[in-house]
Amino acid sequence: MRTFGYFILLLGLLSCQGPEPRRPVKQNTGSSFKASIERTRALLAKEEQLIQDIMAKDSVHNYIQSTTGSWYYYNVKDEASTKTVGPADKVTLTYNVVTFADDTIYRMKDIGIRQFRADKLDLFPGLRNSVPLLKENETATFLFPSSLAYGYHGDDNKIGTNVPLKSTLTLLKIEKQQDSIQN
């Protein structure tokens, strides 16, 4: 009986293993993520080709590429102005939003004159990045791929999904703000 007890004890110790983790029923391979990346790349390439086509047809303007991925030309360039936008400055501006086919979505008159602090611009990403490119009293027209415009979501009003945009921006006034740290 004693050997039988040792045998049961030994059998109990050998049969006890740690808990075995459950395997997922469905394993993600990342293929949907990879497919999304490929769709985004294809869309960006298509929109960049549209921008290149617009620039090729427009022999009147000299387009400049911004560091953020948009293209622009000056409608009014003020060579004499030295006032540029700083991060804490208050800016007064107006802009419009049109499609690449020149269909007006929002007119300057409808948007009106807007005032912002430069580091708190309530604009879509492409336009927000474009404000520091201009000096006071300058006007430029920008071409934005949809990723710099309203992207996949649109604006919940007139701009749909993945719409590349053109916008003419006028920087009316820059009010330099004093640094609150200075004496």
Side-chain angles (χ1 to χ4, degrees):
M1 183 66 137
R2 198 173 176 180
T3 58
F4 182 72
Y6 286 126
F7 178 71
I8 294 294
L9 182 62
L10 183 63
L11 187 63
L13 289 174
L14 291 176
S15 65
C16 290
Q17 295 179 355
E20 190 172 319
R22 294 185 306 163
R23 300 286 174 217
V25 175
K26 181 179 177 184
Q27 293 183 356
N28 290 334
T29 61
S31 62
S32 63
F33 185 67
K34 291 175 186 173
S36 176
I37 290 171
E38 289 305 314
R39 278 192 308 272
T40 302
R41 284 183 181 160
L43 177 65
L44 183 59
K46 178 182 168 190
E47 291 173 356
E48 285 177 349
Q49 186 58 51
L50 283 172
I51 291 171
Q52 294 298 324
D53 292 344
I54 289 170
M55 292 188 307
K57 291 177 186 174
D58 186 1
S59 61
V60 175
H61 299 106
N62 181 25
Y63 285 85
I64 303 164
Q65 185 176 16
S66 74
T67 57
T68 58
S70 63
W71 289 85
Y72 66 101
Y73 63 86
Y74 287 98
N75 301 71
V76 177
K77 185 166 175 71
D78 188 358
E79 298 289 343
S81 178
T82 58
K83 252 186 170 178
T84 58
V85 177
D89 296 343
K90 186 176 178 182
V91 294
T92 304
L93 55 87
T94 187
Y95 65 96
N96 70 350
V97 178
V98 298
T99 65
F100 279 2
D102 289 325
D103 296 326
T104 301
I105 300 172
Y106 296 111
R107 299 179 304 170
M108 282 185 183
K109 186 173 118 180
D110 296 335
I111 295 170
I113 295 174
R114 310 274 309 263
Q115 289 186 334
F116 301 101
R117 229 179 89 171
D119 58 351
K120 298 190 187 297
L121 293 169
D122 185 24
L123 304 168
F124 62 87
L127 208 54
R128 183 174 40 242
N129 296 332
S130 300
V131 170
L133 299 174
L134 301 179
K135 297 180 208 166
E136 193 172 69
N137 297 317
E138 287 187 333
T139 300
T141 298
F142 294 86
L143 302 174
F144 302 111
S146 64
S147 60
L148 292 176
Y150 287 93
Y152 178 76
H153 192 266
D155 76 338
D156 291 330
N157 194 7
K158 295 181 179 181
I159 300 172
T161 300
N162 294 328
V163 177
L165 298 174
K166 187 188 313 186
S167 180
T168 300
L169 170 66
T170 302
L171 189 55
L172 300 170
K173 187 176 182 182
I174 301 172
E175 295 178 40
K176 293 290 183 185
Q177 300 297 311
Q178 292 291 329
D179 214 1
S180 60
I181 299 174
Q182 291 179 349
N183 294 335

